[in-house]
Amino acid sequence: QQPVQSPQAVILREGEDAVINCSSSKALYSVHWYRQKHGEAPVFLMILLKGGEQKGHEKISASFNEKKQQSSLYLTASQLSYSGTYFCGTEKDQGAQKLVFGQGTRLTINP
Amino acid sequence: DAGITQSPRYKITETGRQVTLMCHQTWSHSYMFWYRQDLGHGLRLIYYSAAADITDKGEVPDGYVVSRSKTENFPLTLESATRSQTSVYFCASIDRADTGELFFGEGSRLTVL
């Protein structure tokens, strides 16, 4: 079942922060985050495997609340290069290797 | 060069015709996937394969056929194309042993008239 992302779209000014949420109706083994620029393929950002795990890279980090079956992606002090559509992909079972993606959140960063 | 490549990148066809989208990867990844991307739906899984000769349905398999006779190739066939199959198709493979990262091809944009 497809996870639900919110918001569907967000517009920010450069330097502002954003949070993108991903919720599932089923228990999850892992959550993956990808970013896609217009006309390009999605690119991997990070994977979260354990409940409560937080991962980060520079100013982009994420958390995974296993109990609530949700994950959040945090973009801090956003840069123009952060613009794109963000997708969460969820995996129900360990070893299933099958990612089901949310519908995406379109992030626009204006100067 | 190593990577995952799709062909054709663009295809226009007519309703009822058979179309095959090709996917080739050079990493020897076991798992390969086909997704379609439509506005408002994100990426939806069509079929996936755990290894050569092992395939399974995803979320939206109807109207599609896959095969995997070799580890590196995973073609997707639309046996009788319909307008609702107009979409961008992405092939992907996974490097599960390392980071769990899903590597995507550049996509194939299919238009069915």
Side-chain angles (χ1 to χ4, degrees):
Chain A
Q1 198 152 6
Q2 196 174 25
V4 177
Q5 288 183 232
S6 62
Q8 290 190 342
V10 60
I11 300 173
L12 299 174
R13 287 194 182 276
E14 200 172 4
E16 293 182 335
D17 301 341
V19 179
I20 300 171
N21 299 304
C22 175
S23 296
S24 173
S25 58
K26 297 184 183 287
L28 299 172
Y29 167 70
S30 71
V31 179
H32 303 224
W33 286 96
Y34 287 78
R35 177 172 62 206
Q36 184 179 31
K37 301 275 187 181
H38 182 68
E40 299 179 7
V43 173
F44 176 77
L45 292 175
M46 64 189 77
I47 177 175
L48 300 105
L49 289 174
K50 293 185 284 188
E53 183 174 20
Q54 285 194 276
K55 280 207 165 182
H57 177 66
E58 295 181 349
K59 296 175 183 173
I60 300 177
S61 61
S63 63
F64 178 19
N65 188 319
E66 201 177 317
K67 226 175 202 180
K68 291 185 179 178
Q69 296 168 186
Q70 68 182 41
S71 176
S72 295
L73 185 72
Y74 307 94
L75 298 103
T76 307
S78 57
Q79 304 169 14
L80 294 175
S81 62
Y82 289 179
S83 291
T85 301
Y86 289 78
F87 293 96
C88 68
T90 57
E91 190 180 12
K92 265 194 329 154
D93 305 306
Q94 183 178 3
Q97 313 287 6
K98 187 174 71 169
L99 279 186
V100 179
F101 285 93
Q103 79 279 23
T105 296
R106 188 170 192 166
L107 177 66
T108 303
I109 311 292
N110 292 320
Chain B
D1 286 348
I4 182 164
T5 55
Q6 293 183 230
S7 62
R9 294 289 314 281
Y10 302 92
K11 176 77 177 178
I12 299 174
T13 191
E14 294 177 339
T15 302
R17 298 234 178 189
Q18 183 178 75
V19 176
T20 295
L21 304 179
M22 304 300 293
C23 179
H24 175 79
Q25 54 108 351
T26 59
W27 292 301
S28 299
H29 289 169
S30 294
Y31 285 83
M32 295 186 74
F33 307 81
W34 274 106
Y35 288 90
R36 62 175 289 174
Q37 184 170 37
D38 306 289
L39 210 58
H41 291 282
L43 294 151
R44 290 183 292 176
L45 182 63
I46 305 171
Y47 268 96
Y48 67 105
S49 168
D53 297 321
I54 300 175
T55 62
D56 206 351
K57 296 178 181 179
E59 304 165 78
V60 289
D62 293 342
Y64 302 95
V65 174
V66 293
S67 62
R68 192 148 176 228
S69 56
K70 292 184 178 180
T71 300
E72 60 267 29
N73 297 323
F74 190 38
L76 175 75
T77 298
L78 291 69
E79 292 191 307
S80 179
T82 65
R83 287 185 183 160
S84 64
Q85 292 177 310
T86 292
S87 186
V88 179
Y89 292 85
F90 285 100
C91 177
S93 67
I94 199 159
D95 170 24
R96 196 65 191 185
D98 191 7
T99 62
E101 177 177 353
L102 194 61
F103 290 90
F104 285 87
E106 294 175 304
S108 294
R109 183 177 291 276
L110 176 68
T111 302
V112 183
L113 301 175

